[in-house]
Amino acid sequence: MSHPNSLDLLSRKEGMCLLEQSMGFVWQAALRAVAVLGVADRLVEGKKSVTQLAEELNVDGDYLHRIMRVLSSRGVFNELSEAEYSLSHSAQFLCSEHEFSLRAAVLMLTDPTFWQPAAKMDEILQGKPVFNDLFGKPFYDYWQH
């Protein structure tokens, strides 16, 4: 007999899925970081260790390793060993020279002008001028300038 306060396996999975969804911003932040730094461009020639990448990019290797592991768990990079990575098929679209590069799109969609208002979605639903409050003018006027 199950305890009245225990969850069945399906409920636990659904709860974990909900928690994972609440962490979605972490995936996007990690994706933005590697796009800004040009990590994919550094892997065009082939696999590299986190140490090599960190030295080339002049960044902290431990933090880079965490970001690479987060993204490899979503298939953005291939984790070949404990600290060695290569491009996955999707990471090729982060390369600047790829014919169908999505790097600029990733940078635009993860820009603070999208993220900051999204964090105040409850206020947007209440009709508050969130973008104007944050950036001093309407969205299209901001981007026009």
Side-chain angles (χ1 to χ4, degrees):
M1 184 172 143
S2 68
H3 188 276
N5 291 329
S6 67
L7 293 174
D8 60 34
L9 182 59
L10 179 60
S11 294
R12 286 195 305 261
K13 284 183 179 181
E14 289 172 346
M16 290 306 296
C17 181
L18 180 65
L19 287 176
E20 185 176 304
Q21 294 300 323
S22 73
M23 293 291 297
F25 68 95
V26 172
W27 310 112
Q28 286 79 27
L31 190 57
R32 179 174 181 78
V34 298
V36 166
L37 293 171
V39 172
D41 289 333
R42 302 290 180 147
L43 294 171
V44 169
E45 304 282 323
K47 64 184 179 180
K48 288 190 179 176
S49 71
V50 171
T51 303
Q52 288 173 294
L53 287 169
E55 286 175 8
E56 289 178 19
L57 298 166
N58 194 30
V59 298
D60 183 281
D62 291 334
Y63 286 123
L64 178 61
H65 191 205
R66 291 178 188 141
I67 288 171
M68 296 298 286
R69 291 193 79 191
V70 162
L71 292 172
S72 67
S73 76
R74 290 283 177 107
V76 177
F77 292 103
N78 295 321
E79 185 175 16
L80 305 174
S81 68
E82 177 60 29
E84 193 173 56
Y85 294 89
S86 68
L87 291 177
S88 67
H89 291 293
S90 63
Q92 293 176 29
F93 291 99
L94 288 174
C95 296
S96 302
E97 300 301 318
H98 190 280
E99 181 181 12
F100 301 106
S101 179
L102 295 173
R103 183 173 179 263
V106 167
L107 291 172
M108 180 191 75
L109 293 170
T110 59
D111 187 84
T113 56
F114 285 84
W115 283 15
Q116 290 178 21
K120 298 178 179 272
M121 194 71 68
D122 56 322
E123 293 179 32
I124 292 170
L125 289 170
Q126 295 168 1
K128 296 179 181 175
V130 169
F131 193 93
N132 290 16
D133 292 347
L134 289 168
F135 298 100
K137 56 183 77 168
F139 179 83
Y140 292 107
D141 291 346
Y142 179 89
W143 278 101
Q144 183 178 3
H145 292 91

